[in-house]
Amino acid sequence: MVAPHEFSKIDDLAIRTLKLLAVDQPCNSNSGHPGAPLALAPAAHALLKATNINPKNPDWINRDRFVLSNGHACALLYALLHLVGNDYFRIEDLKQFRKLNSRTPGHPEFHLSGVEVTTGPLGQGIANAVGMAIAQKNFAATYNKPGFTISDNHTFVFAGDGCLQEGISSEASSLAGHLQLGNLIMVYDNNSITIDGSTNLSFTEDTKKRYKAYGWEVIDLDGDSESPELLLGAIEQAKKTTDKPTMIRLTTIIGHGSLNQGTHGVHGAPLKADDLAQLKEKLGFDPKQSFVVPQEVYDFYRKTVAEPGIEANEKWDKLFAEYQKKYPEEGKALVRRLSGELPADWDKTLPAFTPKDKAVATRKLSEGVIEQVYNALPELIGGSADLTPSNLTRWVEAEDFQPPSSGLGSYKGRYIRYGVREHGMAAILNGISAWGANYKPYGGTFLNFVSYASGAVRLSALSGHPVIYVATHDSIGVGEDGPTHQPIETLAHFRALPNMHVWRPADGNEVSGAYKNAIESKHTPAILALSRQNLPQLEGSCRVKTQKGAYVLQDVEKPDVVLIATGSEVSLIVESAKVLAAKGIKARIVSAPCLDLFDEQSEEYRVSVLPDGVPIMSVEVASTVGWERYAHQSFGINRFGVSAPCPDAYKYFDFVPEGVASRAEKTVAFYKGKTLYTPVRRAFESPSIEF
Ligand SMILES: Cc1ncc(C[n+]2csc(CCOP(=O)(O)OP(=O)(O)O)c2C)c(N)n1
Ligand SMILES: *[C@@H]1O[C@H](CO)[C@@H](O)[C@H](O)[C@H]1NC(C)=O
Ligand SMILES: *[C@@H]1O[C@H](CO)[C@@H](O)[C@H](O)[C@H]1NC(C)=O
Ligand SMILES: *[C@@H]1O[C@H](CO)[C@@H](O)[C@H](O)[C@H]1NC(C)=O
Ligand SMILES: CC(=O)N[C@H]1CO[C@H](CO)[C@@H](O)[C@@H]1O
Ligand SMILES: [Mg+2]
C-alpha cells in the first residue's frame, strides 16, 4: 500500500502555476501540445519533490536524470526547468516556444541545458532511460567505495500510451527487467487517448501484467490523477525496490480542466481563447494575464528544489575532494572522465600492419583493436545484439554487465548482452552516452540490421552522441546468407544522415585509424562497416591518412583513370590496376574509408586526391547513390544480392579484377577528348550541422 503524502496550499498553487505556464506556451505560439502537460503537471510536481537536481549546475554527475519520453509534452519540461531556477529557460524563452532558434523547440533537444535527451520519436526515451540506468550502475560499481557513495541516483522517465505501444519500449524494458535496474522508475501516463482517439481502437493489452512479466515492480495508481501525494508515495516505494525497475501506472485525464478534457482534441492543438480563459478562472488566475508566476511559487521551488540541490552538490564536491585523497588513482581517472578527456597515449597500442602481414577480415581486425585498447579506456562499454561470436566485439577478459545475483557477471562488467534487440540497443547506447562521465558505448550487429535500429541511429546523429556501431558482414561478401542479410542501400542511407561518419576500412591500418577517429569523436557517431571475408594488408595504407577520409593509396605519373573504392573493394581495384597496366592504362588508386570525413576536408585537399582532367570511377558492392559527388562513373549494385558463397557472389556481379578493369576501360574511352572537371569542386556548400 502506498502511503499518501501531505501536500500544502503552496503545492497546490505551484501545480496550478505549472499547468498554466505549460498551456500558455502553445497558446501564445499557436502551436504545440497542451493535453499531456496539463494532466501531468501534478505528477511532475511530485517528481520534483523526490529528485535531486542542481538547477545551477545541470550537468552535476550525481543528479537524478529525468527523461520525458512523450516529448510532445515538452512545454511541461520547459516550464518546470524555468520554475526550479534553471537560468537557461527564462520567461522570454517560454514565450518563444517553437519559434525559430528559440531555447524552447517543438520537442526537447539534448543540447538544451537541463534536457537529458532528445525525445519526440515515441518510445526512444524509455530506452534512453534504460541506457542511463545502466551507465549509473556501472559507474557506481566502478567508483563507489566504502563510505564514498559517488553515485547513487535514479533515472526517471515519463512515458505515454504511444511510447508503450512502440516496439522499442518492449526491447528496452525487457532488458531492464533482466538487468534488475532498480535505479529506473517509469511513470506511465495511462490516459487511454492517442491521436486517433480512444486506445480501445488499438491498445487493449494489460500493461500491468506485461511489465510484471518483464520483471518490473508495478504500482498502479488507478484513480485520481490530481493526487501528487499518492505519486510521491509511489516514487518512494519504487526507490526502496532496488532489484527491479518500477513502472508506476498513472491514470490521467488528458487536458484536465479544458473544455475538451479526455478527448484527443486536446492532444496537439492549443486551447481556444474561451477555453483558456475558463481554465485560468477555474485555477484561480486572471484570464487576462499570461505567463504568470507568483513570487511565492518561485520562493517555494527555490527552497524545496534549488537550495537542497545546490547543497547536495556542494556536499558531493566535498566528498569527491576527500575521495581523491583517499583513492588517488580512481580520483584521477574520474577527474579525467568528468572533463571529457581520454587518457594521454590511449592510442599507442593501436595495431599497425605492413603488406607482409596476413590477410584478415576487418571484423577480426576490429576485435584486435578492442583487445588492445579496452584496458586503457574504462569509459569503453561494449556489447552486441546477440552476434558476439560473429561480430567479434568482446575482448577475451571481458566481464559481462549483469546483475550480481545472476552469477553471469556484475555491474562492473563492461560487456552488455543486448539480446536480439538492435533498435533497443541503439537507443540504449544513446542513453549511456547522454548519462555522462564520457562513456563511450559501442554495440555490434550486422550492417544490414543497423537499419533495424535506424530510428535510434538517427537520434545518435541528431543529438551528437558519439557512439559506435560495429557493423560487420557489410556487403554481398557475407555470402550464403543471401539478400536478406546483404546490405545494398545501407551505406548510402547512413552517408545521407547528417553528422554520421560511415566508415568502411580496407585493412588493418584503416581499421585502427577508424577506431582512433571514432573513439576521439566528441559529437559525431560512427558506423564501422566491417567485412566478414579476409582482406589483404595494403601497400600504402596509412592510419594517419585515414583521418582525411580518403587518400591516394597508390599513384602513377599522369594517370589515365582514378579508381576510388572503400573497404573490401580497395584490394580489388589494386588488382584491377594491374590488369589495366598490362593494357597500358595507368590508374591512380584512392582508398576512401570515410566519405563523410573526406567532405570535411579543404577543397584543395579533395581536389589533390580527385583531380581535374581524369575520369574517376568508383567501385563499391552497394548502391551507387551518392557516388556522383566523387566520381564520373560508378560501378555498384543497384539491386538485391544473391545467396551464394562470397567469391561466387562477387563473380556473379563481375566484381573481379577483369570486370572492374573492363569498366574502367569503357570509362576512359567514354571521356576521351572531353573536358573533365572533378566533381568535388562545388559552387557552394549546403548548410551542415555544427556543434
Ligand atoms: C515514433 C513516432 N511515431 C509517431 C509520432 C507522432 N505522434 C506524436 S504524439 C502521438 C500520439 C501519442 O499518444 P500518447 O503517447 O498517448 O500521448 P497523449 O496524446 O496521451 O499525450 C503520435 C502518434 C511520434 N511522435 N513518434
Ligand atoms: C542522490 O544523491 C544524493 C547525494 O549523494 C543523495 O543524498 C540523494 O539521496 C540521492 N537521491 C536519490 C533520488 O537517490
Ligand atoms: C471506446 O472508448 C470511447 C472513449 O472512451 C468510448 O466512447 C467508446 O464507447 C469505447 N468503445 C468501445 C467499443 O468500448
Ligand atoms: C488504462 O487504465 C484503464 C483504467 O484503469 C484500464 O482499464 C486500461 O487497461 C489501462 N490501459 C492500459 C493500456 O494499460
Ligand atoms: C573474444 C571472443 O568472444 N571471441 C570469440 C569470437 O568468435 C569465435 C567463434 O566465431 C570464438 O571462438 C571466440 O571465442
Ligand atoms: Mg495517451
Side-chain angles (χ1 to χ4, degrees), residues 372-385:
Q372 287 305 316
V373 303
Y374 79 88
N375 216 5
L377 296 175
E379 50 270 68
L380 196 68
I381 185 157
S384 172

Side-chain angles (χ1 to χ4, degrees), residues 363-364 367 371 388-397 415 417:
R363 63 171 172 158
K364 185 78 190 162
E367 182 188 42
E371 195 64 62
T388 300
S390 305
N391 290 160
L392 309 178
T393 42
R394 190 172 188 269
W395 59 96
V396 175
E397 308 249 283
Y415 193 78
R417 305 289 186 165

Side-chain angles (χ1 to χ4, degrees), residues 77-134:
L77 181 60
Y78 302 150
L80 206 72
L81 288 168
H82 170 72
L83 288 180
V84 299
N86 177 322
D87 302 323
Y88 187 81
F89 290 96
R90 303 156 304 182
I91 285 285
E92 303 93 276
D93 300 306
L94 304 188
K95 289 183 179 166
Q96 292 299 307
F97 187 56
R98 294 190 149 215
K99 295 273 162 67
L100 182 67
N101 289 332
S102 75
R103 293 178 173 189
T104 48
H107 290 87
E109 294 179 22
F110 177 62
H111 69 273
L112 305 169
S113 169
V115 172
E116 298 287 359
V117 276
T118 300
T119 52
L122 298 172
Q124 296 287 334
I126 295 178
N128 297 153
V130 172
M132 292 179 170
I134 288 173

